[in-house]
Amino acid sequence: MKQITYIIALVIFLSSTACKSQKDTSGSLPSDKNIPEVSQIEQLESTARLIEGSKQSMLGNHANAILLYAEAAKIDPRNSAAFYELAKLHAQQGYTKDAEEFALKAVRLDPDNKYFSMALADIYFVQNKNEQGLQVQNELARLHPNDLDIQISKLSTLIYLEKFEEAIAQFDYIEKISGFNNDLSLQKQKTYLEMERPDLALEEAKRLVSYFPQDVMYLELLADIYNENGQSEEAYRIYHQMLEIQPDYPMANLLLADYYRNNGQDEESFEQLQKAFVSPNLNIEGKARIMASYYYLSEEDSTYASQAMDLCELLVEVHDDEARAHAIYGDFLYRNNQLQEAGIRYSVAAQLDPSELGYWEQLLSVKAQLADFEGLAESSDEALEYFFEHPLLFYFNGLAHFQLKNYHKAIKSLENGKDLSLNEPELMGQFLVMLADSYHKTADYDKSYHHYDEAIALDPDNAYALNNYSYYLSSQNNNLEKALRMSAKSLELEPDNVSFQDTYGWIQYKLGDYQQAQKWIKKALDNTEEPNAVLLEHFGDVLYKLGQKEEALEYWEKALEAKDEEMDDEVSVFLEKKISEGRLFE
């Protein structure tokens, strides 16, 4: 719903509370001559009540104020100010019908007081009695022809009621009594556009520019109306005029960029866009909106992708101290899979504005993907200084320490994060699985299995919990039938997962079904280009059990070559002994 912009301060206090009184007495109020005269003493007593009521009103004691104003009006029924104050307070409390009645009394007692009439008009407008409000304003405008506040209020009402022809006449009258006004000229242009008369809006815009020929903002508005009139060449001329007046006015560059793009001049368009990005007068918010458009456009068009990177470089060059500039550049680099470079930008953003959680999350995500676990531990520690109740940061911290084999530190972070993720079941499941893995690494098997059970109870289709739980059970020769069932389910969920295939084959090995073990571990080997040492050793063990001792030795030797001390801590301690003696040790 449109708002009446001219209503005086009284309207600020109005609310939508239902009217206290439904009786309309506006047509039955006594005239002045029927109201009895009161003595001078009574007049003084009434005035005293009025003054005390005003004090109570200022102190916020509105109930007391109403009582005092009512007493003032009762003592002296001709005290128009008392009725005026009653009208205001009743309007403030939402009793607009009563407010109207009191305002009418005030106006009838003192029709020459413009403030009483203005308040009555406002109360009419609040009740959507717009024609009655306008009638009061028309009378006010007639009685006070040179009062600009009253004339502008009437103008606002005419525009609100979409009486545009009358509004234009009112614009002309106000200009006649007060001279040319730039704000009113702008409003007049908008009114012409509402009337679907862009030709008249154009003439008014030209007139405004004639008064302020060096104001680039008014030139810009003139160019906009030229465009609305289909006169893009005239708008183009204005853009250059703007740059002649203010060479470093980026909005003119952006408008020229649009003009050239619409005319298929892509190279010239991008040149103007670059000029706008070089300018410090185009703030980071404006540039961020443009980059948001480029982010989506560049997904489909490589030309935009190349331009986007050029603009990102200009962005951080001009706004090197703005965290958002670096974060935007980081987003484009991240999408291009330039993770190292993206991490640098996110790191700068987080240092410039450490209160923005999103920068930290992006930085930690990149470090995790780069397997920079030392950096991940350091950055997540720093992030937790600012966001000590955000569970995802604890997860990253726990992941980092787990990978660095700081299992007790990992457990501490993961336990803290788990307690904060009660309302995030998916994240809770990840905490439970990693806690289970961490407790297994510390040989606290009961807690490990407990957390796996909790993770699976939370999500029976948590494939990683099913796989890891089943693998660790098999490594302890514990409840192998349960392990086999869980492993089989994980494969149903992710049949092409190499790790899951190896686990299933390894449990078959533990159960003594070496043919099935060979089948599944061979499938895992065939599905990976660079098998790890654990997978190679497992296959060697299976081959040995099948009597293929020479082939087993080959795979043990491959396992030793592939062994990564940092990653393959599941490789058996007997691997080198198996190779040196050529037989299986378990």
Side-chain angles (χ1 to χ4, degrees):
M1 177 179 177
K2 288 190 287 185
Q3 298 296 314
I4 306 177
T5 58
Y6 52 82
I7 295 179
I8 58 175
L10 163 67
V11 180
I12 296 174
F13 300 104
L14 300 180
S15 68
S16 58
T17 309
C19 298
K20 180 179 178 183
S21 171
Q22 297 300 316
K23 182 179 176 183
D24 185 356
T25 60
S26 60
S28 60
L29 292 174
S31 62
D32 288 355
K33 61 185 178 182
N34 294 326
I35 300 175
E37 295 283 349
V38 297
S39 67
Q40 188 173 9
I41 292 176
E42 287 172 319
Q43 290 178 22
L44 290 172
E45 288 179 1
S46 178
T47 301
R49 298 291 195 286
L50 180 68
I51 293 170
E52 182 60 29
S54 298
K55 290 180 181 178
Q56 293 298 315
S57 180
M58 291 177 63
L59 293 171
N61 301 324
H62 299 309
N64 290 341
I66 287 175
L67 290 174
L68 288 163
Y69 290 144
E71 286 181 15
K74 184 177 180 180
I75 294 169
D76 181 4
R78 292 178 178 273
N79 190 335
S80 58
F83 289 111
Y84 171 64
E85 296 296 341
L86 282 168
K88 288 198 299 181
L89 278 180
H90 279 79
Q92 175 185 339
Q93 295 181 24
Y95 301 124
T96 52
K97 191 64 184 176
D98 290 337
E100 177 187 334
E101 182 179 340
F102 289 124
L104 276 167
K105 287 183 179 180
V107 169
R108 289 176 179 176
L109 287 167
D110 190 355
D112 294 330
N113 189 311
K114 68 177 184 179
Y115 298 105
F116 295 177
S117 294
M118 290 169 68
L120 176 61
D122 292 341
I123 292 167
Y124 278 138
F125 290 132
V126 168
Q127 298 178 90
N128 289 321
K129 296 181 178 180
N130 297 320
E131 291 298 333
Q132 289 170 270
L134 178 59
Q135 184 179 354
V136 174
Q137 284 191 327
N138 282 334
E139 181 63 15
L140 274 169
R142 186 187 68 78
L143 292 172
H144 305 276
N146 295 315
D147 190 314
L148 275 179
D149 289 336
I150 289 174
Q151 300 301 334
I152 290 173
S153 290
K154 176 183 174 180
L155 171 63
S156 298
T157 301
L158 291 169
I159 293 172
Y160 171 73
L161 297 178
E162 298 185 355
K163 296 177 181 289
F164 296 130
E165 295 290 348
E166 295 178 48
I168 293 299
Q170 185 70 2
F171 274 118
D172 293 339
Y173 177 75
I174 291 172
E175 185 173 335
K176 180 180 177 181
I177 64 172
S178 65
F180 182 82
N181 180 281
N182 54 339
D183 290 331
L184 287 176
S185 177
L186 291 170
Q187 185 62 55
K188 193 175 185 181
Q189 293 174 45
K190 293 177 183 177
T191 303
Y192 278 132
L193 292 173
E194 289 280 352
M195 297 169 67
E196 298 184 354
R197 292 298 307 270
D199 54 328
L200 296 178
L202 183 61
E203 292 306 313
E204 184 63 28
K206 288 179 180 178
R207 196 161 75 98
L208 177 59
V209 167
S210 71
Y211 279 95
F212 301 94
Q214 299 298 305
D215 193 313
V216 290
M217 290 183 64
Y218 295 152
L219 284 167
E220 183 182 333
L221 293 172
L222 174 59
D224 288 344
I225 298 177
Y226 271 128
N227 277 322
E228 290 183 26
N229 277 282
Q231 297 173 265
S232 60
E233 293 303 319
E234 286 297 321
Y236 174 78
R237 178 181 63 79
I238 295 295
Y239 300 150
H240 283 285
Q241 185 178 340
M242 291 161 64
L243 288 172
E244 288 174 9
I245 295 169
Q246 191 172 326
D248 190 17
Y249 187 60
M251 187 54 66
N253 299 119
L254 293 176
L255 292 167
L256 278 169
D258 286 341
Y259 172 85
Y260 285 129
R261 184 172 61 255
N262 291 335
N263 286 277
Q265 297 171 267
D266 293 337
E267 186 175 335
E268 291 84 351
S269 175
F270 185 60
E271 181 181 341
Q272 291 296 326
L273 195 54
Q274 287 176 304
K275 289 180 179 179
F277 264 65
V278 167
S279 173
N281 294 327
L282 179 61
N283 62 29
I284 187 68
E285 294 298 326
K287 292 173 184 176
R289 286 193 293 270
I290 294 169
M291 294 311 303
S293 298
Y294 259 90
Y295 194 87
Y296 295 105
L297 289 171
S298 59
E299 288 182 331
E300 304 294 334
D301 191 325
S302 60
T303 301
Y304 285 115
S306 175
Q307 290 180 358
M309 299 310 291
D310 290 341
L311 292 176
C312 281
E313 290 179 6
L314 292 175
L315 187 64
V316 296
E317 180 181 326
V318 176
H319 301 280
D320 185 54
D321 58 346
E322 290 275 3
R324 193 171 181 186
H326 293 276
I328 290 170
Y329 196 2
D331 290 343
F332 280 90
L333 291 166
Y334 183 84
R335 191 183 65 180
N336 292 345
N337 204 34
Q338 295 174 260
L339 298 183
Q340 195 74 43
E341 295 83 354
I344 293 171
R345 293 299 167 184
Y346 290 136
S347 179
V348 173
Q351 295 303 317
L352 287 171
D353 184 7
S355 67
E356 177 54 55
L357 175 62
Y359 301 156
W360 290 108
E361 290 182 337
Q362 288 294 92
L363 173 61
L364 299 179
S365 176
V366 167
K367 287 186 178 293
Q369 291 176 67
L370 290 170
D372 177 11
F373 297 116
E374 289 186 0
L376 182 61
E378 181 180 344
S379 295
S380 58
D381 280 338
E382 190 173 356
L384 283 167
E385 293 178 9
Y386 298 95
F387 302 96
F388 52 86
E389 293 185 351
H390 194 71
L392 186 59
L393 302 184
F394 281 105
Y395 181 81
F396 278 121
N397 192 258
L399 171 64
H401 286 299
F402 180 86
Q403 295 294 340
L404 294 170
K405 300 185 180 181
N406 301 325
Y407 300 122
H408 291 289
K409 286 186 178 180
I411 288 170
K412 182 179 179 181
S413 284
L414 294 169
E415 289 285 8
N416 287 333
K418 183 194 71 171
D419 292 340
L420 295 170
S421 62
L422 297 175
N423 296 322
E424 300 178 60
E426 187 174 345
L427 184 57
M428 169 69 84
Q430 295 184 52
F431 273 114
L432 291 169
V433 172
M434 190 172 291
L435 272 167
D437 290 347
S438 300
Y439 278 120
H440 190 275
K441 296 294 185 183
T442 62
D444 194 339
Y445 302 125
D446 288 341
K447 284 188 178 179
S448 175
Y449 299 153
H450 171 73
H451 282 86
Y452 283 131
D453 284 329
E454 279 195 321
I456 294 168
L458 183 67
D459 178 11
D461 292 333
N462 188 326
Y464 286 89
L466 291 164
N467 174 75
N468 292 12
Y469 194 4
S470 57
Y471 181 78
Y472 287 135
L473 283 174
S474 67
S475 68
Q476 297 293 313
N477 288 314
N478 186 357
N479 207 339
L480 294 178
E481 294 297 336
K482 177 180 178 179
L484 189 65
R485 288 194 302 272
M486 291 191 297
S487 180
K489 184 171 182 179
S490 72
L491 277 171
E492 289 177 13
L493 295 166
E494 295 188 26
D496 296 325
N497 189 304
V498 170
S499 178
F500 294 3
Q501 291 168 352
D502 174 49
T503 296
Y504 189 70
W506 188 242
I507 297 170
Q508 297 284 11
Y509 172 87
K510 290 285 189 172
L511 288 167
D513 192 343
Y514 303 124
Q515 294 294 337
Q516 282 295 312
Q518 181 185 31
K519 171 187 172 182
W520 283 97
I521 297 177
K522 180 66 165 60
K523 183 182 287 192
L525 284 168
D526 292 341
N527 288 336
T528 182
E529 293 181 4
E530 296 183 12
N532 61 36
V534 175
L535 182 56
L536 292 166
E537 185 183 13
H538 282 174
F539 196 59
D541 291 355
V542 172
L543 291 175
Y544 189 89
K545 288 290 188 179
L546 290 171
Q548 301 175 40
K549 297 181 179 180
E550 291 184 6
E551 292 86 344
L553 182 59
E554 290 178 11
Y555 275 92
W556 289 336
E557 289 172 342
K558 289 179 181 179
L560 187 61
E561 291 176 7
K563 185 176 180 182
D564 184 336
E565 296 295 341
E566 292 298 317
M567 303 299 293
D568 296 330
D569 54 357
E570 294 298 328
V571 174
S572 77
V573 294
F574 300 112
L575 178 59
E576 292 186 19
K577 191 172 183 180
K578 292 177 187 177
I579 294 170
S580 64
E581 298 190 20
R583 61 192 182 92
L584 183 63
F585 291 91
E586 293 182 305

